[in-house]
């Protein structure tokens, strides 16, 4: 069966510090991978998605970047965090055959202080 | 672009039936998905409607009307554990756009 791992669960970082969130998927090959951000009480905003190694599409201009160094690994990064980067970050995957449904990781609650 | 509208909050009592509506405006439409998210948790997929009509999965059903750009999630025999946020979403070209969610509170 397929599983998705995302860590850390909680992160408190000072403004101006770097960020690295990691997500890995097991049990499937060549998944589509996604990073979403959720503000408190709001919906999910798509930040990045990837259909293959090294292929990254950015949905909104921002202070963040994403990389996919391996087929089932997706990394969200920032060189210098802003207060506005605080939020709940969710990694997700699906396949081309099931793109109507997303499977989410457990999320990272990021607080930038 | 894509936009989805759903009520921000709904309250119902245990054992009741509740309907959560979603209207959408999209450029290109393939279907409507629904997700459940408990407080602090990750969203989990509930259902998907590609065609008009009602899809039933246990206590949950989902309906779609393409001509009205409208869908709803119907929850029957409500239980306390159904208290959560519910999101409609439109998948398109592998990406999904989400509504802002409806917070359902189930009271005893």
């Amino acid at each position: 069966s397929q599983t998705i791992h995302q860590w850390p669960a909680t992160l408190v970082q000072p403004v101006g510090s770097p960020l690295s969130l990691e997500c890995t998927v097991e049990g499937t090959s060549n998944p589509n991978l996604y990073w979403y951000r959720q503000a408190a009480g709001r919906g999910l905003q798509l930040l990045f998605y990837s259909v293959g190694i090294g292929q990254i599409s950015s949905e909104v201009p921002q202070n963040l970047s994403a990389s996919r160094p391996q087929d089932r690994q997706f990394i969200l990064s920032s060189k210098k965090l802003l207060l506005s980067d605080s939020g709940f970050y969710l990694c997700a995957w699906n396949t081309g055959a099931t793109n109507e449904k997303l499977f989410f990781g457990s999320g990272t609650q990021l607080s930038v202080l | 672009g894509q936009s989805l509208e759903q009520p921000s909050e709904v309250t119902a009592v245990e054992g009741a039936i509740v309907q959560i509506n979603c209207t959408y405006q999209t450029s290109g439409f393939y279907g409507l998905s629904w997700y459940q998210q408990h407080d602090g948790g990750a969203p989990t997929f509930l259902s998907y409607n590609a065609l008009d009509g009602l899809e039933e999965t246990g206590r949950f059903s989902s309906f779609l009307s393409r001509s009205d750009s409208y869908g709803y999630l119907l929850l029957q025999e409500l239980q306390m554990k159904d208290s959560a946020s519910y999101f409609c979403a439109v998948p398109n070209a592998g990406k999904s756009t989400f509504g802002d969610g409806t917070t359902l509170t189930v009271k005893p």
Side-chain angles (χ1 to χ4, degrees):
Chain A
S1 64
Q2 300 92 357
T3 56
I4 178 169
H5 303 280
Q6 185 183 343
W7 66 92
T10 306
L11 193 58
V12 180
Q13 292 285 97
V15 169
S17 63
L19 173 74
S20 181
L21 302 181
E22 190 165 339
C23 170
T24 60
V25 179
E26 296 178 356
T28 188
S29 296
N30 197 29
N32 300 323
L33 296 172
Y34 306 85
W35 280 110
Y36 281 87
R37 178 170 60 200
Q38 185 176 31
R42 298 297 303 276
L44 286 77
Q45 180 187 35
L46 179 62
L47 303 177
F48 300 96
Y49 73 98
S50 172
V51 298
I53 296 174
Q55 300 178 60
I56 309 294
S57 295
S58 175
E59 289 297 294
V60 293
Q62 59 204 310
N63 184 42
L64 303 168
S65 62
S67 61
R68 185 171 177 173
Q70 300 180 48
D71 181 46
R72 290 169 289 176
Q73 183 185 29
F74 205 24
I75 297 172
L76 183 70
S77 304
S78 174
K79 292 182 179 178
K80 289 185 177 181
L81 284 169
L82 306 172
L83 288 173
S84 57
D85 292 325
S86 294
F88 191 46
Y89 288 82
L90 289 153
C91 181
W93 73 274
N94 65 12
T95 68
T98 61
N99 64 14
E100 75 277 9
K101 65 173 75 170
L102 287 163
F103 302 94
F104 286 88
S106 54
T108 297
Q109 185 63 55
L110 172 65
S111 298
V112 182
L113 306 177
Chain B
Q2 328 266 41
S3 70
L4 297 96
E5 295 287 332
Q6 42 181 139
S8 59
E9 295 179 348
V10 172
T11 301
V13 297
E14 219 173 353
I17 299 173
V18 71
Q19 179 174 312
I20 298 174
N21 299 320
C22 175
T23 56
Y24 57 86
Q25 288 185 320
T26 65
S27 53
F29 180 80
Y30 298 93
L32 189 68
S33 300
W34 288 92
Y35 293 79
Q36 178 192 60
Q37 183 181 30
H38 285 99
D39 194 29
T44 56
F45 174 82
L46 291 176
S47 66
Y48 175 69
N49 293 69
L51 304 174
D52 283 2
L54 191 67
E55 296 274 349
E56 298 183 56
T57 309
R59 294 188 297 114
F60 293 4
S61 303
S62 55
F63 172 83
L64 177 65
S65 169
R66 285 172 166 262
S67 60
D68 296 320
S69 298
Y70 163 76
Y72 65 73
L73 181 69
L74 190 73
L75 297 83
Q76 303 181 73
E77 300 173 20
L78 281 173
Q79 302 176 9
M80 298 298 291
K81 67 179 182 180
D82 297 329
S83 291
S85 292
Y86 293 84
F87 296 87
C88 56
V90 173
N92 189 345
K95 302 176 289 181
S96 286
T97 300
F98 286 77
D100 280 347
T102 299
T103 300
L104 170 63
T105 302
V106 181
K107 296 188 172 181

